[in-house]
Coordinates of all heavy atoms in Angstrom, one line a residue:
M22 N -27.7 0.5 185.7 CA -26.7 1.4 186.2 C -26.6 2.6 185.3 O -26.7 2.5 184.1 CB -25.3 0.7 186.3 CG -25.3 -0.5 187.2 SD -25.4 -0.1 188.9 CE -23.7 -0.4 189.4
A23 N -26.3 3.7 185.9 CA -26.2 5.0 185.1 C -25.0 5.7 185.7 O -24.6 5.6 186.8 CB -27.4 5.8 185.2
T24 N -24.4 6.6 184.8 CA -23.3 7.4 185.2 C -23.8 8.8 185.6 O -24.5 9.4 184.7 CB -22.3 7.4 184.1 OG1 -21.9 6.1 183.8 CG2 -21.0 8.2 184.5
Y25 N -23.4 9.2 186.7 CA -23.8 10.6 187.2 C -22.6 11.4 187.5 O -21.5 10.9 187.9 CB -24.7 10.5 188.4 CG -26.0 9.8 188.2 CD1 -26.1 8.4 188.5 CD2 -27.1 10.5 187.7 CE1 -27.3 7.8 188.2 CE2 -28.3 9.8 187.5 CZ -28.4 8.5 187.7 OH -29.5 7.8 187.5
V26 N -22.7 12.7 187.2 CA -21.5 13.6 187.4 C -21.8 14.4 188.6 O -22.9 15.0 188.8 CB -21.3 14.5 186.1 CG1 -20.2 15.4 186.3 CG2 -21.1 13.6 184.9
F27 N -20.8 14.6 189.4 CA -20.8 15.4 190.6 C -19.6 16.3 190.6 O -18.6 16.0 190.1 CB -20.8 14.5 191.9 CG -22.0 13.7 192.1 CD1 -22.1 12.4 191.5 CD2 -23.1 14.2 192.8 CE1 -23.2 11.6 191.7 CE2 -24.2 13.4 193.0 CZ -24.3 12.1 192.4
R28 N -19.8 17.5 191.3 CA -18.7 18.5 191.4 C -18.4 18.8 192.8 O -19.3 19.2 193.6 CB -19.1 19.8 190.6 CG -18.0 20.9 190.8 CD -18.4 22.1 190.0 NE -18.2 21.9 188.6 CZ -19.1 22.0 187.7 NH1 -20.3 22.5 188.1 NH2 -18.9 21.8 186.4
C29 N -17.2 18.5 193.2 CA -16.7 18.8 194.5 C -16.3 20.3 194.5 O -15.5 20.7 193.7 CB -15.6 17.9 194.9 SG -14.9 18.3 196.5
P30 N -16.7 21.1 195.5 CA -16.3 22.5 195.5 C -14.8 22.6 195.8 O -14.2 23.7 195.4 CB -17.2 23.1 196.6 CG -17.7 22.0 197.4 CD -17.7 20.8 196.5
A31 N -14.2 21.7 196.4 CA -12.8 21.8 196.8 C -11.9 21.1 195.7 O -10.7 21.5 195.6 CB -12.5 21.2 198.1
C32 N -12.4 20.1 195.1 CA -11.5 19.3 194.2 C -11.9 19.5 192.7 O -11.5 20.5 192.1 CB -11.6 17.8 194.5 SG -11.1 17.5 196.2
S33 N -12.6 18.6 192.2 CA -13.0 18.7 190.8 C -14.3 17.9 190.5 O -15.0 17.5 191.4 CB -11.9 18.3 189.9 OG -11.6 16.9 190.1
V34 N -14.5 17.7 189.2 CA -15.7 16.9 188.8 C -15.3 15.5 188.8 O -14.2 15.1 188.5 CB -16.1 17.4 187.4 CG1 -17.3 16.6 186.9 CG2 -16.5 18.9 187.5
F35 N -16.3 14.6 189.2 CA -16.1 13.2 189.2 C -17.4 12.5 188.8 O -18.4 13.1 188.9 CB -15.5 12.6 190.5 CG -16.4 12.9 191.7 CD1 -17.4 11.9 192.0 CD2 -16.4 14.1 192.4 CE1 -18.2 12.1 193.1 CE2 -17.2 14.3 193.4 CZ -18.1 13.3 193.8
E36 N -17.2 11.3 188.3 CA -18.4 10.5 187.9 C -18.6 9.3 188.9 O -17.7 8.8 189.4 CB -18.2 9.9 186.5 CG -18.1 11.0 185.4 CD -17.9 10.4 184.0 OE1 -17.6 9.2 183.9 OE2 -18.2 11.1 183.1
V37 N -19.9 9.0 189.0 CA -20.3 7.9 189.9 C -21.3 7.0 189.1 O -22.2 7.5 188.5 CB -20.9 8.4 191.2 CG1 -21.4 7.2 192.1 CG2 -20.0 9.3 192.0
V38 N -21.0 5.7 189.1 CA -21.9 4.8 188.4 C -22.8 4.1 189.5 O -22.2 3.3 190.3 CB -21.1 3.8 187.6 CG1 -22.1 2.8 186.9 CG2 -20.3 4.5 186.6
V39 N -24.0 4.4 189.5 CA -24.9 3.8 190.5 C -26.3 3.5 189.9 O -26.6 4.0 188.8 CB -25.2 4.8 191.7 CG1 -23.9 5.0 192.5 CG2 -25.7 6.1 191.2
P40 N -27.1 2.6 190.5 CA -28.4 2.4 189.9 C -29.2 3.6 189.9 O -29.1 4.5 190.8 CB -29.0 1.3 190.8 CG -27.8 0.7 191.5 CD -26.8 1.7 191.6
M41 N -30.1 3.8 189.0 CA -30.9 5.0 188.9 C -31.8 5.1 190.1 O -32.2 6.3 190.5 CB -31.8 4.9 187.6 CG -31.0 5.0 186.3 SD -32.0 4.7 184.9 CE -32.9 6.2 184.8
S42 N -32.1 4.0 190.8 CA -33.0 4.1 191.9 C -32.3 4.6 193.2 O -32.9 5.0 194.1 CB -33.6 2.7 192.2 OG -32.6 1.8 192.5
S43 N -31.0 4.6 193.2 CA -30.3 5.0 194.4 C -29.4 6.3 194.2 O -28.7 6.6 195.1 CB -29.3 3.9 194.8 OG -28.4 3.6 193.9
V44 N -29.6 7.0 193.1 CA -28.9 8.3 193.0 C -29.4 9.3 193.9 O -30.6 9.4 194.2 CB -28.9 8.7 191.5 CG1 -30.2 9.1 191.1 CG2 -27.9 9.9 191.4
R45 N -28.5 10.1 194.5 CA -29.0 11.2 195.4 C -28.4 12.5 194.9 O -27.5 12.6 194.1 CB -28.4 10.9 196.8 CG -28.9 9.6 197.4 CD -28.1 9.2 198.6 NE -28.4 7.8 198.9 CZ -29.1 7.4 199.9 NH1 -29.6 8.3 200.7 NH2 -29.3 6.2 200.1
P46 N -29.0 13.6 195.4 CA -28.6 14.9 194.9 C -27.1 15.3 195.3 O -26.5 16.1 194.6 CB -29.5 15.9 195.5 CG -30.4 15.1 196.4 CD -30.1 13.7 196.3
T47 N -26.6 14.6 196.3 CA -25.2 14.9 196.7 C -24.5 13.5 196.8 O -25.1 12.5 197.0 CB -25.1 15.6 198.0 OG1 -25.7 14.8 199.0 CG2 -25.8 17.0 197.9
H48 N -23.2 13.6 196.7 CA -22.4 12.4 196.8 C -21.0 12.8 197.4 O -20.5 13.8 197.1 CB -22.2 11.7 195.4 CG -21.7 10.3 195.5 ND1 -20.4 10.0 195.6 CD2 -22.4 9.2 195.5 CE1 -20.2 8.7 195.6 NE2 -21.4 8.2 195.5
P49 N -20.5 11.9 198.3 CA -19.2 12.3 198.9 C -18.1 12.2 197.9 O -18.0 11.3 197.0 CB -19.0 11.2 200.0 CG -19.9 10.1 199.7 CD -21.1 10.7 198.9
C50 N -17.2 13.2 197.9 CA -16.1 13.3 197.0 C -15.1 12.1 197.2 O -14.8 11.8 198.4 CB -15.4 14.6 197.1 SG -13.8 14.7 196.2
P51 N -14.7 11.4 196.2 CA -13.7 10.3 196.4 C -12.3 10.8 196.9 O -11.6 10.0 197.4 CB -13.6 9.7 195.0 CG -14.0 10.7 194.0 CD -15.0 11.6 194.8
T52 N -12.0 12.1 196.7 CA -10.7 12.6 197.1 C -10.7 13.1 198.5 O -9.9 12.7 199.4 CB -10.3 13.7 196.2 OG1 -10.3 13.2 194.8 CG2 -8.9 14.2 196.5
C53 N -11.7 14.0 198.8 CA -11.7 14.7 200.1 C -12.9 14.3 201.0 O -13.0 14.7 202.1 CB -11.6 16.2 200.0 SG -13.1 16.9 199.2
A54 N -13.8 13.5 200.4 CA -15.0 13.0 201.1 C -16.0 14.2 201.4 O -16.9 14.0 202.2 CB -14.7 12.3 202.4
G55 N -15.7 15.3 200.8 CA -16.6 16.4 201.0 C -17.9 16.2 200.2 O -17.9 15.5 199.2
E56 N -19.0 16.9 200.6 CA -20.2 16.7 200.0 C -20.2 17.4 198.6 O -19.9 18.6 198.5 CB -21.3 17.3 200.8 CG -22.7 17.0 200.3 CD -23.8 17.3 201.3 OE1 -24.0 16.5 202.2 OE2 -24.4 18.4 201.2
S57 N -20.5 16.7 197.6 CA -20.5 17.2 196.2 C -21.9 17.2 195.6 O -22.7 16.3 195.8 CB -19.6 16.4 195.3 OG -18.3 16.3 195.9
S58 N -22.2 18.3 194.9 CA -23.5 18.3 194.3 C -23.5 17.8 192.9 O -22.5 17.8 192.2 CB -24.0 19.8 194.3 OG -23.0 20.6 193.5
R59 N -24.7 17.3 192.5 CA -24.8 16.7 191.2 C -24.8 17.7 190.1 O -25.4 18.8 190.2 CB -26.1 15.9 191.2 CG -26.3 15.1 189.9 CD -27.5 14.2 190.0 NE -27.9 13.7 188.7 CZ -29.0 13.1 188.4 NH1 -29.9 12.9 189.3 NH2 -29.2 12.7 187.1
V60 N -24.2 17.4 189.0 CA -24.1 18.2 187.8 C -25.1 17.6 186.8 O -24.9 16.4 186.4 CB -22.7 18.3 187.2 CG1 -22.7 19.1 186.0 CG2 -21.8 18.9 188.3
W61 N -26.0 18.4 186.3 CA -26.9 17.8 185.3 C -26.3 17.9 183.9 O -25.8 19.0 183.5 CB -28.2 18.6 185.3 CG -29.0 18.4 186.6 CD1 -28.8 19.1 187.8 CD2 -29.9 17.4 186.9 NE1 -29.6 18.6 188.8 CE2 -30.2 17.5 188.3 CE3 -30.4 16.3 186.2 CZ2 -31.1 16.6 188.9 CZ3 -31.3 15.5 186.8 CH2 -31.6 15.6 188.2
T62 N -26.3 16.8 183.3 CA -25.7 16.7 181.9 C -26.7 16.1 181.0 O -27.7 15.5 181.4 CB -24.4 15.8 182.0 OG1 -24.8 14.5 182.4 CG2 -23.4 16.4 182.9
A63 N -26.4 16.2 179.7 CA -27.2 15.7 178.7 C -27.1 14.1 178.7 O -26.0 13.6 179.0 CB -26.8 16.1 177.3
P64 N -28.2 13.4 178.5 CA -28.1 12.0 178.5 C -27.2 11.5 177.4 O -27.1 12.1 176.3 CB -29.6 11.5 178.3 CG -30.2 12.7 177.7 CD -29.5 13.9 178.2
A65 N -26.5 10.4 177.7 CA -25.6 9.8 176.7 C -26.3 9.0 175.7 O -26.3 7.7 175.8 CB -24.5 9.0 177.4
L66 N -27.1 9.6 174.8 CA -27.8 8.9 173.8 C -27.0 8.8 172.6 O -26.4 9.7 172.1 CB -29.1 9.6 173.5 CG -30.1 9.8 174.7 CD1 -31.3 10.6 174.2 CD2 -30.5 8.5 175.3
A67 N -26.9 7.6 172.0 CA -26.1 7.4 170.8 C -27.0 6.6 169.9 O -27.9 5.8 170.3 CB -24.9 6.6 171.1
T68 N -26.7 6.8 168.6 CA -27.4 6.0 167.6 C -26.9 4.6 167.5 O -25.7 4.4 167.4 CB -27.3 6.7 166.2 OG1 -27.8 8.1 166.4 CG2 -28.1 6.0 165.2
T69 N -27.8 3.6 167.6 CA -27.4 2.3 167.5 C -27.2 1.9 166.1 O -28.1 2.2 165.3 CB -28.4 1.4 168.2 OG1 -28.6 1.8 169.5 CG2 -28.0 -0.1 168.2
P70 N -26.1 1.2 165.7 CA -26.0 0.8 164.3 C -27.1 -0.2 164.0 O -27.6 -0.9 164.8 CB -24.6 0.0 164.3 CG -23.9 0.6 165.5 CD -24.9 0.9 166.5
A71 N -27.5 -0.1 162.7 CA -28.7 -0.8 162.3 C -28.5 -2.3 162.4 O -29.4 -3.1 162.9 CB -29.0 -0.5 160.8
A72 N -27.3 -2.8 162.1 CA -27.0 -4.3 162.3 C -27.1 -4.7 163.7 O -27.7 -5.8 164.0 CB -25.7 -4.6 161.7
L73 N -26.6 -3.9 164.6 CA -26.7 -4.2 166.0 C -28.1 -4.2 166.5 O -28.6 -5.0 167.3 CB -25.8 -3.2 166.9 CG -25.9 -3.4 168.4 CD1 -25.4 -4.8 168.8 CD2 -25.0 -2.4 169.1
H74 N -28.9 -3.2 166.0 CA -30.3 -3.1 166.4 C -31.0 -4.3 166.0 O -31.9 -4.9 166.7 CB -30.9 -1.8 165.8 CG -32.3 -1.6 166.2 ND1 -32.7 -1.2 167.4 CD2 -33.5 -1.8 165.5 CE1 -34.0 -1.1 167.5 NE2 -34.5 -1.5 166.3
R75 N -30.8 -4.8 164.7 CA -31.5 -6.0 164.2 C -31.1 -7.2 165.1 O -31.9 -8.0 165.4 CB -31.1 -6.2 162.8 CG -31.9 -5.3 161.8 CD -31.8 -5.7 160.4 NE -30.4 -5.8 159.9 CZ -29.7 -4.8 159.4 NH1 -30.3 -3.6 159.2 NH2 -28.5 -4.9 159.0
A76 N -29.8 -7.3 165.4 CA -29.4 -8.4 166.2 C -30.0 -8.5 167.6 O -30.4 -9.5 168.1 CB -27.8 -8.4 166.3
V77 N -30.1 -7.3 168.2 CA -30.7 -7.2 169.5 C -32.2 -7.6 169.4 O -32.7 -8.3 170.3 CB -30.5 -5.8 170.1 CG1 -31.3 -5.7 171.4 CG2 -29.0 -5.6 170.4
A78 N -32.8 -7.0 168.4 CA -34.3 -7.3 168.2 C -34.5 -8.8 168.0 O -35.5 -9.4 168.5 CB -34.8 -6.5 167.0
A79 N -33.6 -9.4 167.2 CA -33.8 -10.8 166.9 C -33.6 -11.7 168.2 O -34.3 -12.6 168.4 CB -32.8 -11.3 165.8
A80 N -32.6 -11.2 169.0 CA -32.3 -12.0 170.2 C -33.5 -11.8 171.2 O -33.9 -12.8 171.8 CB -31.1 -11.4 170.9
D81 N -34.1 -10.6 171.2 CA -35.3 -10.4 172.1 C -36.4 -11.2 171.6 O -37.2 -11.9 172.4 CB -35.6 -8.9 172.1 CG -34.7 -8.1 172.9 OD1 -33.8 -8.7 173.7 OD2 -34.7 -6.9 172.8
A82 N -36.7 -11.3 170.3 CA -37.8 -12.0 169.7 C -37.6 -13.5 170.0 O -38.5 -14.3 170.3 CB -37.9 -11.8 168.3
S83 N -36.3 -14.0 169.9 CA -36.0 -15.4 170.1 C -36.2 -15.8 171.5 O -36.6 -16.9 171.8 CB -34.6 -15.7 169.7 OG -34.3 -17.0 169.9
T84 N -36.0 -14.8 172.4 CA -36.3 -15.1 173.9 C -37.7 -15.4 174.1 O -38.1 -16.3 174.9 CB -35.8 -13.9 174.7 OG1 -34.4 -13.7 174.4 CG2 -36.0 -14.2 176.2
E85 N -38.6 -14.6 173.5 CA -40.0 -14.8 173.8 C -40.7 -15.9 173.0 O -41.5 -16.6 173.5 CB -40.7 -13.4 173.5 CG -40.3 -12.3 174.4 CD -40.6 -12.6 175.9 OE1 -41.6 -13.2 176.2 OE2 -39.8 -12.2 176.7
A86 N -40.3 -16.0 171.7 CA -40.9 -17.0 170.8 C -39.8 -17.5 169.9 O -39.7 -17.1 168.8 CB -42.0 -16.3 170.0
P87 N -39.1 -18.5 170.4 CA -38.0 -19.1 169.6 C -38.5 -19.7 168.3 O -39.6 -20.3 168.3 CB -37.3 -20.1 170.4 CG -38.2 -20.3 171.6 CD -39.2 -19.2 171.7
Q88 N -37.8 -19.4 167.2 CA -38.2 -20.0 165.9 C -37.9 -21.5 165.9 O -36.8 -21.9 166.2 CB -37.4 -19.3 164.8 CG -37.8 -19.7 163.4 CD -37.0 -19.0 162.4 OE1 -36.1 -18.2 162.7 NE2 -37.4 -19.2 161.1
V89 N -38.9 -22.3 165.5 CA -38.7 -23.7 165.4 C -38.1 -24.0 164.1 O -38.6 -23.7 163.0 CB -40.0 -24.4 165.6 CG1 -39.8 -25.9 165.5 CG2 -40.6 -24.1 167.0
V90 N -37.0 -24.8 164.1 CA -36.3 -25.2 162.8 C -36.6 -26.6 162.7 O -36.3 -27.4 163.5 CB -34.8 -24.9 162.9 CG1 -34.1 -25.3 161.7 CG2 -34.6 -23.4 163.1
R91 N -37.2 -27.0 161.5 CA -37.5 -28.4 161.3 C -36.6 -29.0 160.2 O -36.7 -30.2 159.9 CB -38.9 -28.6 160.8 CG -39.9 -28.1 161.9 CD -41.3 -28.4 161.6 NE -42.2 -27.8 162.5 CZ -42.5 -28.3 163.7 NH1 -41.9 -29.4 164.2 NH2 -43.3 -27.6 164.5
S92 N -35.7 -28.2 159.6 CA -34.7 -28.7 158.7 C -33.5 -27.9 158.7 O -33.5 -26.8 159.3 CB -35.3 -28.7 157.3 OG -35.6 -27.4 156.9
I93 N -32.4 -28.4 158.2 CA -31.2 -27.7 158.2 C -31.3 -26.5 157.2 O -31.8 -26.7 156.1 CB -30.0 -28.7 157.7 CG1 -29.9 -29.8 158.7 CG2 -28.7 -27.9 157.6 CD1 -28.9 -30.9 158.2
P94 N -30.9 -25.4 157.7 CA -31.0 -24.2 156.8 C -30.2 -24.3 155.6 O -29.1 -25.0 155.6 CB -30.5 -23.1 157.7 CG -30.6 -23.6 159.1 CD -30.4 -25.1 159.0
A95 N -30.7 -23.8 154.5 CA -30.0 -23.9 153.2 C -28.7 -23.0 153.3 O -28.6 -22.1 154.1 CB -30.9 -23.3 152.1
G96 N -27.8 -23.4 152.5 CA -26.5 -22.6 152.5 C -25.4 -23.6 152.2 O -25.6 -24.6 151.6
R97 N -24.3 -23.2 152.6 CA -23.1 -24.0 152.3 C -23.2 -25.3 153.1 O -23.5 -25.3 154.3 CB -21.8 -23.2 152.7 CG -20.6 -23.7 152.0 CD -19.4 -22.8 152.3 NE -19.0 -23.1 153.7 CZ -18.1 -22.4 154.4 NH1 -17.7 -21.3 153.8 NH2 -17.7 -22.7 155.6
P98 N -22.9 -26.4 152.4 CA -23.0 -27.7 153.1 C -21.9 -27.8 154.2 O -20.8 -27.2 154.1 CB -22.7 -28.7 152.0 CG -22.0 -28.0 150.9 CD -22.5 -26.6 151.0
R99 N -22.3 -28.6 155.2 CA -21.3 -28.7 156.3 C -20.2 -29.6 155.9 O -20.4 -30.5 155.1 CB -22.0 -29.4 157.5 CG -23.1 -28.5 158.1 CD -23.8 -29.1 159.2 NE -24.7 -28.2 159.8 CZ -25.1 -28.3 161.0 NH1 -24.6 -29.1 161.9 NH2 -26.0 -27.4 161.5
P100 N -19.0 -29.4 156.4 CA -17.9 -30.3 156.0 C -18.1 -31.7 156.5 O -18.6 -31.9 157.6 CB -16.7 -29.6 156.7 CG -17.3 -28.8 157.8 CD -18.6 -28.4 157.4
R101 N -17.7 -32.6 155.6 CA -17.8 -34.0 156.0 C -16.6 -34.4 156.7 O -15.5 -33.8 156.5 CB -18.0 -34.9 154.7 CG -19.2 -34.6 154.0 CD -20.4 -35.1 154.7 NE -21.6 -34.8 154.0 CZ -22.8 -35.1 154.4 NH1 -23.0 -35.7 155.6 NH2 -23.9 -34.8 153.7
G102 N -16.7 -35.4 157.6 CA -15.5 -35.8 158.3 C -15.9 -36.7 159.5 O -16.9 -37.4 159.4
R103 N -15.1 -36.6 160.5 CA -15.3 -37.5 161.6 C -16.3 -36.8 162.5 O -16.0 -36.1 163.5 CB -14.0 -37.8 162.3 CG -13.0 -38.5 161.4 CD -11.7 -38.5 162.0 NE -11.7 -38.9 163.4 CZ -10.7 -39.1 164.2 NH1 -9.5 -38.9 163.7 NH2 -10.8 -39.4 165.5
R104 N -17.6 -36.9 162.2 CA -18.6 -36.3 163.0 C -19.7 -37.4 163.4 O -19.8 -38.4 162.8 CB -19.4 -35.2 162.2 CG -18.5 -34.0 161.9 CD -19.3 -33.1 161.1 NE -18.5 -31.8 160.9 CZ -18.7 -30.7 161.6 NH1 -19.6 -30.7 162.5 NH2 -17.9 -29.7 161.4
W105 N -20.4 -37.1 164.4 CA -21.4 -38.0 164.9 C -22.5 -37.9 163.9 O -22.8 -36.8 163.3 CB -21.9 -37.5 166.3 CG -20.9 -37.7 167.3 CD1 -19.8 -37.0 167.5 CD2 -20.8 -38.8 168.3 NE1 -19.0 -37.5 168.5 CE2 -19.7 -38.6 169.0 CE3 -21.7 -39.9 168.5 CZ2 -19.3 -39.4 170.1 CZ3 -21.3 -40.7 169.6 CH2 -20.2 -40.5 170.3
N106 N -23.2 -39.0 163.6 CA -24.3 -39.1 162.7 C -25.4 -38.2 163.3 O -26.0 -38.6 164.4 CB -24.7 -40.5 162.5 CG -25.8 -40.6 161.4 OD1 -26.6 -39.8 161.3 ND2 -25.6 -41.7 160.6
P107 N -25.9 -37.2 162.6 CA -26.9 -36.3 163.2 C -28.3 -37.0 163.2 O -29.2 -36.6 164.0 CB -26.9 -35.1 162.3 CG -26.4 -35.6 161.0 CD -25.4 -36.7 161.3
V108 N -28.5 -38.1 162.4 CA -29.8 -38.7 162.4 C -29.9 -39.9 163.4 O -30.8 -39.9 164.2 CB -30.1 -39.3 161.0 CG1 -31.4 -40.0 160.9 CG2 -30.1 -38.1 160.0
T109 N -28.9 -40.7 163.4 CA -28.9 -41.9 164.3 C -28.2 -41.6 165.6 O -28.4 -42.4 166.6 CB -28.3 -43.1 163.6 OG1 -26.9 -42.8 163.3 CG2 -29.0 -43.4 162.3
G110 N -27.3 -40.6 165.7 CA -26.5 -40.4 166.9 C -25.4 -41.4 167.0 O -24.8 -41.4 168.1
A111 N -25.1 -42.1 165.9 CA -24.0 -43.1 166.0 C -22.6 -42.4 166.0 O -22.5 -41.3 165.5 CB -24.1 -44.0 164.8
A112 N -21.7 -43.0 166.7 CA -20.4 -42.5 166.8 C -19.6 -42.6 165.5 O -20.0 -43.5 164.7 CB -19.6 -43.2 167.9
P113 N -18.6 -41.8 165.3 CA -17.8 -42.1 164.1 C -17.2 -43.5 164.1 O -17.1 -44.1 165.1 CB -16.7 -41.0 164.3 CG -17.2 -40.0 165.2 CD -18.2 -40.7 166.1
V114 N -17.0 -44.0 162.9 CA -16.6 -45.3 162.8 C -15.3 -45.7 163.6 O -15.3 -46.7 164.3 CB -16.4 -45.7 161.3 CG1 -15.8 -47.1 161.1 CG2 -17.7 -45.5 160.5
D115 N -14.3 -44.8 163.5 CA -13.1 -45.1 164.2 C -13.1 -44.8 165.6 O -12.1 -45.0 166.3 CB -11.9 -44.4 163.5 CG -12.1 -42.9 163.4 OD1 -13.3 -42.5 163.6 OD2 -11.2 -42.2 163.1
A116 N -14.3 -44.5 166.2 CA -14.3 -44.2 167.6 C -14.1 -45.5 168.4 O -13.6 -45.5 169.5 CB -15.7 -43.6 168.0
A117 N -14.4 -46.7 167.8 CA -14.3 -48.0 168.5 C -12.8 -48.3 168.7 O -12.4 -49.1 169.6 CB -14.9 -49.1 167.7
H118 N -11.9 -47.7 167.9 CA -10.5 -48.0 168.0 C -9.8 -47.0 168.9 O -8.6 -47.2 169.1 CB -9.9 -47.9 166.6 CG -10.5 -48.8 165.6 ND1 -10.4 -50.2 165.7 CD2 -11.3 -48.6 164.5 CE1 -11.1 -50.7 164.7 NE2 -11.7 -49.8 164.0
R119 N -10.5 -46.1 169.5 CA -9.8 -45.2 170.4 C -9.6 -45.9 171.8 O -10.4 -46.7 172.2 CB -10.7 -44.0 170.7 CG -10.7 -43.1 169.5 CD -11.5 -41.8 169.8 NE -11.7 -41.0 168.6 CZ -12.8 -40.3 168.3 NH1 -13.7 -40.2 169.2 NH2 -12.9 -39.6 167.2
P120 N -8.5 -45.6 172.5 CA -8.3 -46.2 173.8 C -9.4 -45.8 174.8 O -9.9 -44.6 174.7 CB -6.9 -45.7 174.1 CG -6.7 -44.5 173.4 CD -7.5 -44.6 172.1
A121 N -9.7 -46.7 175.7 CA -10.7 -46.4 176.7 C -10.1 -45.4 177.7 O -8.9 -45.3 177.9 CB -11.1 -47.6 177.4
G122 N -10.9 -44.6 178.3 CA -10.4 -43.7 179.3 C -10.9 -42.3 179.0 O -11.6 -42.0 178.0
P123 N -10.5 -41.4 179.9 CA -11.0 -40.0 179.7 C -10.3 -39.4 178.5 O -9.3 -39.9 177.9 CB -10.5 -39.3 181.0 CG -9.4 -40.1 181.5 CD -9.7 -41.5 181.1
H124 N -10.8 -38.3 178.0 CA -10.2 -37.5 176.9 C -8.7 -37.2 177.2 O -8.4 -36.9 178.4 CB -11.0 -36.3 176.7 CG -10.6 -35.6 175.4 ND1 -9.6 -34.7 175.3 CD2 -11.2 -35.7 174.2 CE1 -9.5 -34.3 174.0 NE2 -10.5 -34.9 173.3
P125 N -7.9 -37.3 176.2 CA -6.4 -37.1 176.5 C -6.1 -35.7 177.1 O -5.1 -35.5 177.8 CB -5.8 -37.2 175.1 CG -6.8 -38.0 174.3 CD -8.1 -37.7 174.9
S126 N -7.0 -34.8 176.8 CA -6.7 -33.4 177.3 C -7.2 -33.2 178.7 O -6.8 -32.2 179.4 CB -7.3 -32.4 176.4 OG -8.7 -32.5 176.5
L127 N -7.9 -34.2 179.3 CA -8.4 -34.1 180.6 C -7.3 -34.5 181.6 O -6.6 -35.4 181.3 CB -9.7 -34.9 180.9 CG -10.9 -34.5 180.1 CD1 -12.0 -35.5 180.3 CD2 -11.3 -33.1 180.5
P128 N -7.2 -33.9 182.8 CA -6.2 -34.3 183.7 C -6.5 -35.7 184.3 O -7.7 -36.0 184.5 CB -6.2 -33.3 184.8 CG -7.6 -32.7 184.7 CD -8.0 -32.8 183.3
R129 N -5.5 -36.5 184.5 CA -5.7 -37.9 185.1 C -5.5 -37.8 186.6 O -4.4 -37.4 187.0 CB -4.8 -38.9 184.4 CG -5.1 -39.0 183.0 CD -4.2 -40.1 182.3 NE -4.4 -40.1 180.9 CZ -5.3 -41.0 180.3 NH1 -6.0 -41.8 181.1 NH2 -5.5 -41.0 179.0
W130 N -6.4 -38.0 187.4 CA -6.3 -37.9 188.8 C -5.9 -39.2 189.5 O -6.3 -40.2 189.1 CB -7.6 -37.4 189.5 CG -8.1 -36.1 188.9 CD1 -9.0 -35.9 188.0 CD2 -7.5 -34.8 189.2 NE1 -9.1 -34.6 187.7 CE2 -8.2 -33.9 188.4 CE3 -6.5 -34.4 190.1 CZ2 -7.9 -32.5 188.5 CZ3 -6.2 -33.0 190.1 CH2 -7.0 -32.1 189.3
Ligands
ZN208 ZN1 -13.3 16.8 197.0

């Protein structure tokens, strides 16, 4: 989608957001429905922040060839607590003492 500017001879300038493949040299005015001609403007090019550019590039690279992680990345250790065992998949110890049934936050039908 791209934004195009049109000028109605009776009203004023307005913008239309349409796919680039379907833009036409004229567009009906949203106010008076009169035929409006396209106004050529400079493309809205902006400098992408470096951090955003790196994030987008990393996301694109991950889409095509995801990085395989075989160990937990180094850094701050994860907090210990009532978590599932990541190796065995075992439930937390006190899970056996929970009442049977759906999660308390789920609606009971
Ligand atoms: Zn108009």
Side-chain angles (χ1 to χ4, degrees):
M22 300 290 256
T24 303
Y25 296 94
V26 179
F27 292 88
R28 176 176 287 121
C29 173
C32 301
S33 63
V34 175
F35 60 94
E36 293 182 345
V37 177
V38 179
V39 292
M41 293 172 72
S42 60
S43 64
V44 67
R45 299 167 194 255
T47 61
H48 195 275
C50 172
T52 305
C53 68
E56 189 169 279
S57 306
S58 58
R59 184 173 168 190
V60 177
W61 293 89
T62 58
L66 301 177
T68 303
T69 305
L73 177 60
H74 182 73
R75 284 193 301 271
V77 170
D81 288 347
S83 177
T84 301
E85 296 298 323
Q88 183 181 8
V89 176
V90 177
R91 299 187 188 283
S92 63
I93 298 174
R97 203 172 76 192
R99 294 180 178 209
R101 297 289 179 183
R103 299 168 48 177
R104 292 177 175 260
W105 294 74
N106 187 321
V108 177
T109 64
V114 174
D115 55 344
H118 302 291
R119 289 185 188 148
H124 190 274
S126 66
L127 295 176
R129 297 181 185 271
W130 302 102

